[in-house]
Amino acid sequence: QVRLVESGGGLVQPGGSLRLSCAASGSIFSIGPMAWYRQAPGKERKLVATITTRGIATYVDSGKGRFTVSRDNAKNTVYLQMNSLKPEDTAVYLCNAKVWSDFNNVRDYWGQGTQVTVSS
């Protein structure tokens, strides 16, 4: 079994910054692409950013220029640095990872999320 645990969320004023972390643990053979999603109350879960094993990152429009995704493969951890935060960034942020538990078995895993609230 694989577990993803997010941390780093909290309450921040508009214009502030937060750094989210998501650590994977358990029966891990290797980890492929990792991603951050967010879900605001009453809204659909939306992709924020993705990063490949080699560190190639992609962003959706809402985070471009403000968010930076990175990963530490040795620590099985993905990060999301969020700057210039806006009230509309308020959401639960969840990480997702494609994990091989052995050479033949792969599946997507989700963390439980960390709350980010941007408010004055």
Side-chain angles (χ1 to χ4, degrees), residues 48-49 57-68 83 86:
V48 175
T58 59
Y59 303 91
V60 297
D61 289 344
S62 60
K64 283 183 179 178
R66 299 188 298 126
F67 295 175
T68 302
N83 299 326
K86 305 174 183 180

Side-chain angles (χ1 to χ4, degrees), residues 96-111:
N96 168 272
K98 186 178 294 291
V99 180
W100 276 259
S101 55
D102 57 46
F103 190 78
N104 295 310
N105 293 292
V106 57
R107 59 161 282 191
D108 275 351
Y109 288 90
W110 290 89

Side-chain angles (χ1 to χ4, degrees), residues 2-111:
V2 173
R3 188 179 180 207
L4 300 183
V5 179
E6 301 96 336
S7 61
L11 173 64
V12 63
Q13 292 186 342
S17 299
L18 283 174
R19 188 189 192 214
L20 308 183
S21 300
C22 172
S25 62
S27 181
I28 298 171
F29 175 67
S30 68
I31 302 177
M34 303 181 83
W36 285 98
Y37 287 74
R38 68 185 184 186
Q39 188 165 18
K43 296 189 176 180
E44 294 182 349
R45 187 173 297 182
K46 293 186 177 180
L47 178 66
V48 175
T50 65
I51 186 166
T52 67
T53 304
R54 295 187 178 184
I56 299 173
T58 59
Y59 303 91
V60 297
D61 289 344
S62 60
K64 283 183 179 178
R66 299 188 298 126
F67 295 175
T68 302
V69 61
S70 60
R71 64 190 286 171
D72 184 334
N73 291 332
K75 295 181 179 180
N76 292 331
T77 299
V78 62
Y79 305 95
L80 184 67
Q81 177 67 44
M82 304 187 294
N83 299 326
S84 302
L85 283 162
K86 305 174 183 180
E88 51 264 43
D89 294 318
T90 295
V92 174
Y93 284 71
L94 307 101
C95 70
N96 168 272
K98 186 178 294 291
V99 180
W100 276 259
S101 55
D102 57 46
F103 190 78
N104 295 310
N105 293 292
V106 57
R107 59 161 282 191
D108 275 351
Y109 288 90
W110 290 89

